[in-house]
Amino acid sequence: MDPARLIDARLAPAGAACYERVLGRLDDWALTFDKPSAYFPGAAAANLVESRGAHVFGTLNRISGHGLNVLDHYENVASGQYERVIARVLRPENNEYIIATTYVARNNLDSQLKPRLAYLNHLLAGSDILPEAYVERLKSLPVCVEVADRLPA
């Protein structure tokens, strides 16, 4: 996750802090882009689905309960877009598992959707701590055509 988007644009203005940002690996889950974007019709937002043997890398951010409430707003929890899920996440730096909160969408999914490049770049902004092979995999994902790209010249 993009630290500027998470910390500077979302948490800090609401008076919440991120106390730690490290690499995390969520086992037996896969990253998908099947959640219709709440803001860009025709585009996908990231989602997680249970998938035995798969794993997802991401930033593991230690924030307060107030910080989670702030993120609930951005993840549209109240309207049912996403729900909080408690997960067991590996910290590869010390090979320890911790209990963490993530967000999962379970309704109105569409496997034909693709993320916007700008959205995918928010995930790629975590490349300072994500494994190189995982970053390359993210870079190789197909993206949807941006509205500006669809306009006649």
Side-chain angles (χ1 to χ4, degrees):
M1 171 65 134
D2 184 347
R5 184 177 188 215
L6 172 67
I7 300 165
D8 302 337
R10 295 181 175 187
L11 295 176
C18 179
Y19 305 105
E20 182 178 39
R21 180 178 170 270
V22 298
L23 176 64
R25 189 184 79 202
L26 180 60
D27 294 329
D28 295 324
W29 289 79
L31 176 66
T32 62
F33 291 93
D34 59 359
K35 169 69 179 81
S37 170
Y39 308 104
F40 298 96
N47 195 16
L48 298 169
V49 295
E50 293 184 75
S51 180
R52 189 159 187 77
H55 59 267
V56 177
F57 287 101
T59 61
L60 188 56
N61 306 288
R62 188 167 58 90
I63 61 176
S64 66
H66 171 60
L68 281 174
N69 291 335
V70 171
L71 294 183
D72 284 353
H73 168 75
Y74 287 99
E75 301 300 336
N76 297 300
V77 170
S79 66
Q81 297 287 319
Y82 286 92
E83 63 184 59
R84 284 189 195 181
V85 172
I86 304 302
R88 189 172 170 255
V89 179
L90 176 70
R91 287 182 63 154
E93 68 183 26
N94 59 15
N95 212 32
E96 292 182 1
Y97 283 91
I98 65 158
I99 301 303
T101 301
T102 191
Y103 291 89
V104 174
R106 300 191 195 273
N107 301 310
N108 304 317
L109 304 179
D110 182 347
S111 63
Q112 302 302 308
L113 296 173
K114 298 175 197 159
R116 295 171 55 245
L117 179 58
Y119 182 88
L120 193 57
N121 284 337
H122 289 305
L123 300 181
L124 290 168
S127 64
D128 60 315
I129 60 175
L130 294 172
E132 186 176 334
Y134 194 76
V135 169
E136 292 306 314
R137 186 175 142 239
L138 291 176
K139 286 180 179 178
S140 74
L141 292 173
V143 295
C144 70
V145 176
E146 302 283 341
V147 173
D149 293 338
R150 288 186 238 157
L151 298 175

